[in-house]
Amino acid sequence: MGERIKLKSLGAVGARVEDINLSQVTPDQLNALKQAFADHEVLFFEDQDLPPEAHLAFAERWGEINVNRFFATVPGHPAIAQVVKEPEQQGNIGGYWHTDHSYDQIPALGSMLLARQTPPVGGDTLFASCTRAFSTLSEGLQQMLMSLRAVHSARHVFGAQAEYSEAMKGRLGNSDQANVDAVHPVVIRHPLSGKPALYVNPGFTLRFEGWTDKESAPLLDYLYQHIGRAEHSIRYQWREGSLAFWDNRATWHWAVNDYQGSRREMHRVTIEGEQLHPA
Ligand code: SIN
């Protein structure tokens, strides 16, 4: 396999795949990429000259495309979400720790984010490993968490009354579709690696099932600061033509909003997932 793709681990999570052209991935390379994705949870590819059709075609080799119902899309490409911040806009999309689609009963497998325009400085993305974070908890807490489920929602982020969706007007829409909550195990068995992964996030998790918000907050806050620790995360610096492919069931991400006055445009293609099961 080492000969089919060249991998460079980035530390706590993720690996860079070198010397590969995503428009011409062979079946052998794809098999090796699938193993690497299960092992490293985020794959990074650089210097890719990928028109939107090739971006979609590569994504389709991993599963059905999930068109995110809240994001604006790239003109002419309704299956590609546009993640953009114009120089005059203050807020960015995804500027907080989260994992995409945990508000869906069948959360998306992951997303392929391709950098189309990057600011001269800043605009990095942080990634954290939720499998690594689980493995560094005490056995006592691990056991207790395995008995819990949590409620996730999109209402407070993408719903009509949400401050965030108001601030992102024009870039997000369909607030009427933010109306169904989902319940998932707090510790899932990762569908690809089989590893236990913490599956709660500050973006979309509301509470533990059967607990109040107030009762849930201290333990959720503890888990959030634990997952986000430097030992469990990396910071990725983009250049145009870089593509990150992350697994939503194993990782969190955070788009750093530190490039006021500059433009950043990313194209995101999301792939369908499956029902999650407890570890
Ligand atoms: C996202 O949350 O999907 C956006 C990530 C980024 O723009 O870096």
Side-chain angles (χ1 to χ4, degrees):
M1 173 179 316
E3 286 166 22
R4 284 180 280 162
I5 57 168
K6 212 156 91 192
L7 283 177
K8 190 156 191 258
S9 166
L10 297 190
V13 62
R16 183 182 299 120
V17 188
E18 296 176 340
D19 301 335
I20 192 163
N21 177 348
L22 294 186
S23 309
Q24 294 174 6
V25 172
T26 65
D28 268 4
Q29 284 177 322
L30 188 65
N31 285 337
L33 287 176
K34 287 191 172 169
Q35 186 59 54
F37 187 62
D39 293 343
H40 294 278
E41 305 174 347
V42 191
L43 297 179
F44 300 96
F45 307 88
E46 292 172 346
D47 304 316
Q48 299 297 318
D49 182 16
L50 275 190
E53 296 75 13
H55 185 185
L56 275 169
F58 180 58
E60 278 163 354
R61 295 180 74 180
W62 296 76
E64 210 178 300
I65 303 304
N66 174 318
V67 180
N68 185 291
R69 55 196 185 279
F70 304 118
F71 281 59
T73 56
V74 171
H77 296 283
I80 306 183
Q82 191 179 40
V83 180
V84 69
K85 181 173 172 239
E86 301 294 349
E88 66 280 6
Q89 291 172 329
Q90 297 299 307
N92 71 334
I93 293 177
Y96 53 95
W97 278 128
H98 65 286
T99 189
D100 302 332
H101 289 253
S102 74
Y103 47 79
D104 287 333
Q105 197 49 52
I106 309 250
L109 173 155
S111 288
M112 290 183 181
L113 190 72
L114 175 59
R116 292 289 182 200
Q117 186 174 1
T118 53
V121 183
D124 298 350
T125 303
L126 313 180
F127 292 91
S129 169
C130 301
T131 57
R132 188 174 280 249
F134 180 77
S135 74
T136 58
L137 292 172
S138 69
E139 209 183 312
L141 185 52
Q142 288 181 342
Q143 287 300 328
M144 199 276 266
L145 292 171
M146 283 202 234
S147 66
L148 299 178
R149 304 201 312 157
V151 182
H152 301 247
S153 181
R155 294 171 205 266
H156 59 291
V157 181
F158 300 120
Q161 309 306 322
E163 244 173 66
Y164 180 73
S165 78
E166 182 59 30
M168 297 294 141
K169 228 183 198 141
R171 289 180 280 173
L172 297 175
N174 291 333
S175 55
D176 54 314
Q177 291 179 36
N179 51 6
V180 202
D181 297 345
V183 179
H184 302 291
V186 166
V187 186
I188 58 163
R189 186 180 70 250
H190 190 272
L192 300 178
S193 68
K195 291 182 193 165
L198 281 169
Y199 195 71
V200 287
N201 69 92
F204 302 113
T205 307
L206 296 181
R207 72 186 83 85
F208 297 112
E209 186 184 44
W211 299 29
T212 65
D213 288 11
K214 206 168 163 187
E215 288 165 342
S216 305
L219 180 52
L220 284 174
D221 285 347
Y222 175 77
L223 295 175
Y224 295 160
Q225 68 78 27
H226 178 76
I227 297 171
R229 276 171 53 177
E231 295 83 354
H232 303 140
S233 58
I234 60 157
R235 183 176 185 121
Y236 184 70
Q237 196 174 4
W238 297 91
R239 17 182 234 256
E240 280 154 35
S242 299
L243 182 144
F245 177 27
W246 63 78
D247 189 317
N248 281 324
R249 295 86 46 97
T251 63
W252 281 359
H253 55 281
W254 175 337
V256 180
N257 187 15
D258 60 352
Y259 53 96
Q260 299 304 349
S262 297
R263 187 173 193 278
R264 180 179 185 269
E265 180 178 353
M266 318 293 272
H267 287 184
R268 197 177 94 176
V269 178
T270 297
I271 297 149
E272 279 296 3
E274 60 196 83
Q275 181 77 44
L276 300 176
H277 299 289

